Amino acid sequence: MSTSDDLSEDGLDDIELVDEKPLSWFDVSAIGTGEMLFTAGWAWIVFIAASYGILWSILGFVGGAIVIHTAWWLYREMITAVPEPGSLQSYAREAGVFPLGTSYLILYAPVYGAFMWLELLIADELLALLFPGVPAAVWPYVVLVPVIALNLLGHQITGKVQSILVVITLAADLVLAVAVIALIANTEAWDMNWPSPTPVTFMTFFTVAGLWLGIMAGIMEVQQVLVDEWKDFRRSRDVGLMSAAWQLWVRQIPLALGVLGSLPVAALLVMPVPTIGVVEAKFGQNPLFYLALFAMLIATYTTLSVYFMGMGKILALYSQQGALPRAVGRYSRRSVPWVAIVILGLFALVGAYWSDFAFVSHVLSTWSTTLYFVVALLYLLMKRRKDLDRPIVSRFGTPLAVFLLVFTAIIGVAIAMTDWTAALTWVALVVIVVVYDMFVVPRTKRGAFYREQILRRRTSAARL
């Protein structure tokens, strides 16, 4: 019996692919909207600025932005050379380190799930402000169940409704930032929060840059979605950074600076959601307060929805590759990876009972830092290939890749010095997935078939 017949009998052909609409700019921007609201509303103020002050927060942000700009300069060239979905897996295949790329692709699901844990903390606090008498244990289910149900029914966040929601958050960000800066911020609080309350060393800049990279982590995903989903490949490739990164930062940084200049950090620390808290402290629960709260809730729900939509596909993909039980890759009649969504829902719910914010943040920072390290590594390995259909020819690519390797390596060491447990936890996860993908998956029938096909496939840039 032929291999294809064996695969058919084993049920490998019972997984249907999703027939979905292309995403628009508004759809894609929602992926990072909630994360950046979380950034401005809590993480930067409570976690970074509280430890290092406004000055070093800004300097660290610049360091993180340099990393992302450099990585995108290399990434867009790899996308041009290998223009196919799969991103890190595809580039790692051409670089000869396929399991490493698989590890960073597949681990997007739990990593993004950790972001959802933090999103849940924000959503819980926002709903508690509206309904203080309701038990706190109810809110995680109030947030998650509707989002999971909508995704299981096939209602993904695309189209006009999503565009309207993103426009609302854009307008609310602007209004809130102007109001906070004009009506609440003051020079006394700004001067008090400007210097670092902790000793500054040589590694401080790299430590703060790493923390920022952890917060910026979703930017790479948004960039990749832009390239994969937009019909105009050249435009999506070239404007990906502008649309995915700066449109978020320009909206959120003024708001964060305004909040940091409103009250001493010690007062902001005790607020569950400082973005909302400073407005409530100044004006009470007035229309501006409800506007900010409403916009953040929208961003939270849309970001959670993207989590289930995007990460569900990743789990289903890994199942198709033979690495997970076949059931994980099953799609419903509505073209929804329903088993994967249920698994991710249970994982997200863990966040309702996880309170170690510092540990999660440090793991995210380690992941993001090493992700960009891997991007530079894959670029250099791909550049050595002389048999690619479209060789890599990026201007200044090699020195930029070497710079990125060194820069992210130092940042990784700085984060590890801050929290060795979190850093080693991430490294252990990567090693486990790499070893599993190298030695276990190829020994399964479906895994062997997948690798026989994918590792021998040649890519082409002819469609460009």
Side-chain angles (χ1 to χ4, degrees), residues 21 73 75 168 182 204 313 354 368 448 461:
K21 300 176 182 178
W73 183 259
Y75 203 65
I168 291 174
T204 297
K313 295 177 189 176
W354 188 283
S368 188

Side-chain angles (χ1 to χ4, degrees), residues 17 35 43 62 84 107 115 150-151 163 176 180 182 226 229 237 275-276 278 284 290 316 350 363 387 397:
L17 298 179
E35 291 173 14
V62 173
E84 63 184 45
L107 287 175
F115 270 111
L150 287 172
N151 275 268
S163 298
L176 187 60
V180 169
L226 276 167
E229 302 291 350
R237 177 200 64 186
T275 306
I276 306 294
V278 294
Y290 287 106
V350 174
V363 170
D387 58 341

Side-chain angles (χ1 to χ4, degrees), residues 104-443:
Y104 273 81
L105 175 67
I106 301 307
L107 287 175
Y108 253 111
V111 163
Y112 211 75
F115 270 111
M116 296 309 100
W117 294 357
L118 304 178
E119 291 283 349
L120 276 175
L121 292 176
I122 294 295
D124 292 351
E125 296 293 349
L126 292 173
L127 290 169
L129 287 173
L130 283 175
F131 309 101
V134 177
V138 172
W139 297 128
Y141 300 92
V142 170
V143 174
L144 283 175
V145 171
V147 177
I148 294 173
L150 287 172
N151 275 268
L152 290 176
L153 292 172
H155 299 300
Q156 299 176 348
I157 58 165
T158 57
K160 296 181 180 179
V161 173
Q162 176 59 25
S163 298
I164 293 172
L165 294 178
V166 175
V167 169
I168 291 174
T169 60
L170 288 170
D173 288 346
L174 178 61
V175 171
L176 187 60
V178 171
V180 169
I181 293 174
L183 303 177
I184 306 176
N186 59 84
T187 56
E188 290 80 6
W190 178 268
D191 292 341
M192 185 178 300
N193 296 334
W194 178 260
S196 173
T198 57
V200 174
T201 67
F202 169 77
M203 298 299 284
T204 297
F205 169 76
F206 300 101
T207 301
V208 180
L211 294 175
W212 262 113
L213 284 178
I215 294 169
M216 297 173 178
I219 297 298
M220 177 68 86
E221 180 190 359
V222 181
Q223 291 168 336
Q224 182 60 43
V225 172
L226 276 167
V227 172
D228 286 348
E229 302 291 350
W230 277 14
K231 293 181 179 179
D232 187 339
F233 176 82
R234 289 187 183 277
R235 187 182 179 204
S236 67
R237 177 200 64 186
D238 295 336
V239 306
L241 178 63
M242 182 66 72
S243 295
W246 284 104
Q247 66 94 3
L248 294 172
W249 295 337
V250 168
R251 287 162 41 205
Q252 294 301 325
I253 295 304
L255 176 57
L257 291 174
V259 173
L260 283 170
S262 300
L263 292 169
V265 169
L268 297 173
L269 282 171
V270 300
M271 295 179 176
V273 187
T275 306
I276 306 294
V278 294
V279 177
E280 185 180 26
K282 179 70 175 181
F283 303 112
Q285 296 189 1
N286 69 344
L288 183 63
F289 167 85
Y290 287 106
L291 172 66
L293 191 148
F294 179 61
M296 292 190 70
L297 280 176
I298 289 178
T300 297
Y301 275 98
T302 54
T303 306
L304 284 167
S305 185
V306 172
Y307 164 62
F308 290 111
M309 178 184 72
M311 298 305 109
K313 295 177 189 176
I314 286 182
L315 285 186
L317 172 66
Y318 208 32
S319 173
Q320 293 173 15
Q321 295 178 10
L324 293 173
R326 188 169 60 231
V328 177
R330 292 193 181 280
Y331 281 82
S332 69
R333 293 181 178 178
R334 297 177 181 269
S335 297
V336 172
W338 69 274
V339 177
I341 287 177
V342 171
I343 293 173
L344 291 171
L346 294 175
F347 181 77
L349 193 59
V350 174
Y353 308 98
W354 188 283
S355 58
D356 194 343
F357 169 70
F359 177 82
V360 174
S361 295
H362 289 145
V363 170
L364 292 175
S365 297
T366 305
W367 165 68
S368 188
T369 301
T370 55
L371 169 65
Y372 293 113
F373 180 92
V374 168
V375 168
L377 177 65
L378 296 183
Y379 177 89
L380 292 173
L381 292 176
M382 285 180 65
K383 191 171 178 60
R384 295 175 58 188
R385 292 278 304 274
K386 304 302 182 183
D387 58 341
L388 289 177
D389 295 325
R390 197 282 193 186
I392 291 180
V393 292
S394 179
R395 188 179 184 185
F396 306 121
T398 298
L400 286 175
V402 173
F403 163 76
L404 188 60
L405 279 176
V406 175
F407 193 27
T408 52
I410 297 174
I411 293 175
V413 171
I415 293 297
M417 291 173 61
T418 302
D419 191 338
W420 279 105
T421 302
L424 290 177
T425 297
W426 173 251
V427 172
L429 285 173
V430 173
V431 170
I432 289 171
V433 176
V434 167
V435 172
Y436 176 73
D437 198 72
M438 288 180 63
F439 299 107
V440 178
V441 176
R443 287 177 168 78

Side-chain angles (χ1 to χ4, degrees), residues 35-54:
E35 291 173 14
M36 297 306 288
L37 279 170
F38 157 74
T39 299
W42 192 31
W44 186 19
I45 299 167
V46 173
F47 194 64
I48 299 180
S51 299
Y52 301 100
I54 295 175

